[in-house]
Amino acid sequence: MKNMAFYRGTEGSVKFDDAGTSAAAIASTTGWTLNVVKETVDTTLIGDRTGYKGTEGGIISATGTVKVLYTATSGDETEAFLKRVNTTGNTGNSLFELYTDTSGSKKISFKGVVTGSRINLDLDNLIQIDMDFATNGAITYAI
C-alpha cells in the first residue's frame, strides 16, 4: 500500500488583500471553511419513461468562514479583513487565499466579498471573530 500524505488543520493559513492584488497573512487564524455548490438544471423530458431524472451542472458558487483570534492588530491585512464587512461599495474584488499546508504551496484562491462577521466573547475563552465570505468568479485549486 502506498503511503499517503495527510494534512492537519494546524498546517493551514489564510491570506487576504482587500485591493485584490497581493495577499498577506491574516494573523491568528484558527480555521477556515469553504462550501462550493454547483446548481443543477433539470433536463428531464416530458414523456420520459426511464424512471430517472436528467440533470446537468450549472452555475458554481461558494461561501465560507475564516476564524481568527482577536489580537488588536492594526495596519495590516488582518485589520483590513476584519473591517471589510463594514465597508460599503465592495466590488467583490478582494483576493482570498486559503492554504492547506505550511509550505504555502497548496492553496485555493479566488476573488470575493466579506459578507458578515460574528464576534464571540466568552468569559473563559479568547475572543474569536468568525468572518463570512462569498466568492466572485472562478475558484482556483492548487492543492
Side-chain angles (χ1 to χ4, degrees), residues 8-20:
R8 293 174 171 30
T10 57
E11 298 178 59
S13 63
V14 176
K15 291 185 178 180
F16 175 81
D17 181 33
D18 60 341

Side-chain angles (χ1 to χ4, degrees), residues 1 11 23 26 31-32 34 40 43 45 51 62 66 71 75 80 83-84 89 94 96 110 121 129-130 141-142:
M1 178 175 205
E11 298 178 59
I26 301 297
W32 58 264
L34 178 66
T40 57
T43 60
L45 302 174
V66 175
T71 61
K83 289 183 174 180
R84 197 64 179 159
S94 297
F96 292 76
F110 51 88
L121 187 143
I129 303 174
D130 299 342
Y141 288 85

Side-chain angles (χ1 to χ4, degrees), residues 24-35:
I26 301 297
S28 303
T29 303
T30 62
W32 58 264
T33 61
L34 178 66
N35 306 307

Side-chain angles (χ1 to χ4, degrees), residues 4-5 9 16-19 21 35 49 52 55 58 64 68 73 81-82 86-87 93-94 98 102 114 118 123 126 135:
M4 298 178 67
F16 175 81
D17 181 33
D18 60 341
T21 55
N35 306 307
R49 302 272 189 244
Y52 296 97
T55 306
V68 299
T73 183
F81 182 60
L82 298 176
N86 200 31
T87 304
N93 201 36
S94 297
L98 310 177
T102 52
V114 178
R118 288 174 303 288
L123 181 64
L126 300 173
T135 61

